[in-house]
Amino acid sequence: MKILILNHNLRERGTWHRARHIGRELARRGHRVTLWTAAPHHYYRAERRADPELGERLAEVQTPSWAPLAGPDDGWGPLDAAWRLAHALAEPCDLCYAFAHPPNVWLPAWLMKRLRRRPLLYDWCDWYEGGIFPKRMEARRAGLMPPGERPMQALAERWEVALERRMLRLADRVTVISEPLRALALAAGRREEEILLLPNGANLEGIRPLEAAECRRELGLAGLTGPVLGYVANYHPDQDLLLGAVARAAREVPGMKFLVAGPPLSGDLVRRLGLESCVVHLGQVPAERIGLALGAADALALPLEDNPSNRARVPYKFTDYLAAGRPVVT
């Protein structure tokens, strides 16, 4: 089959990892897969790349990600939506597989289903209405605006709640990442036989256990000593819990370092907790080098506040941590 996979995130962010790996396994089984995802480096044009291993059996198209009103990672880019709608009219496709529901996924998925009469699968791996969005709103009320917050972000989220509900009704079948989302899909009217519980696997090819000293040399951290706690993320929704725990650990374990790969943590919080000399920040690490960042640590941190968002999801970093062969501190 020719399968079109729709993802709203920037490449190498969020749901891209799940969409990419499911797409790869489908391609290995003989299907031809095209993945549309938002471009992290070019905002006004699209770029097509064939997979180094699978060639055109797994092609990735990075679509324009210019988004003046919402974040570029949130699926609200007007050029992106226009490009995807235009190309969805002609894209060779036997099956459309939509990951999440923002406009750059919802619009081409609707077109594929309603106008082109293609079967539509929907992958539900985050609960926006009752999980992610209430947590963001709480942060806004507390004055803790996420970095790069755009003026229309809160309004866009209210519209997205409706799209999340509609996508659940529009799809022919639904894959879910967790039991809580399966229960929510049943409560929304989906039948048992229409839902597949599909948890994340682990990237055992791209990430494997490595010697810590070797990884530190590769990352330019040969002088890093003491117990090293590692952490990899694209977002930090639980950083208050995380940094509070790290501060306590640093007091009890002299010389401990906290190695962070991803966007910056809150500088104010790091200073308030006295962690300036403890935190070692690698910045955004390309997907092919994540294994080095994980391997450079002695143990890996997985912060999870007890809230509906975390109960409904399965963080991709968890299976990456397992593949790296390091103890997980959660």
Side-chain angles (χ1 to χ4, degrees), residues 75-93:
W76 282 83
L79 297 180
D80 193 356
W83 187 97
R84 293 187 186 208
L85 276 173
H87 286 76
L89 291 169
E91 178 74 22
C93 177

Side-chain angles (χ1 to χ4, degrees), residues 214-225:
E214 173 192 341
C215 294
R216 292 172 194 176
R217 280 195 300 272
E218 284 284 328
L219 294 169
L221 300 171
L224 195 62
T225 59

Side-chain angles (χ1 to χ4, degrees), residues 126-137 157 308-309 313:
D126 281 304
W127 188 23
Y128 285 70
E129 180 179 5
I132 295 174
F133 289 165
K135 185 168 177 59
R136 286 187 185 176
M137 191 56 67
E157 289 170 10
S309 176
R313 71 189 185 101

Side-chain angles (χ1 to χ4, degrees), residues 98-117:
F99 284 71
H101 58 271
N104 68 349
V105 169
W106 161 260
L107 291 169
W110 181 90
L111 189 149
M112 282 287 181
K113 169 71 175 175
R114 295 300 190 208
L115 299 186
R116 296 191 60 187
R117 304 295 181 185

Side-chain angles (χ1 to χ4, degrees), residues 60-82:
E60 182 177 283
V61 179
Q62 298 179 28
T63 55
S65 58
W66 176 67
L69 299 179
D73 203 33
D74 292 318
W76 282 83
L79 297 180
D80 193 356

Side-chain angles (χ1 to χ4, degrees), residues 303-321:
L304 288 167
E305 292 181 356
D306 188 0
N307 57 46
S309 176
N310 284 334
R311 284 183 173 273
R313 71 189 185 101
V314 180
Y316 216 94
K317 65 171 67 63
F318 176 58
T319 50
D320 285 351
Y321 287 3

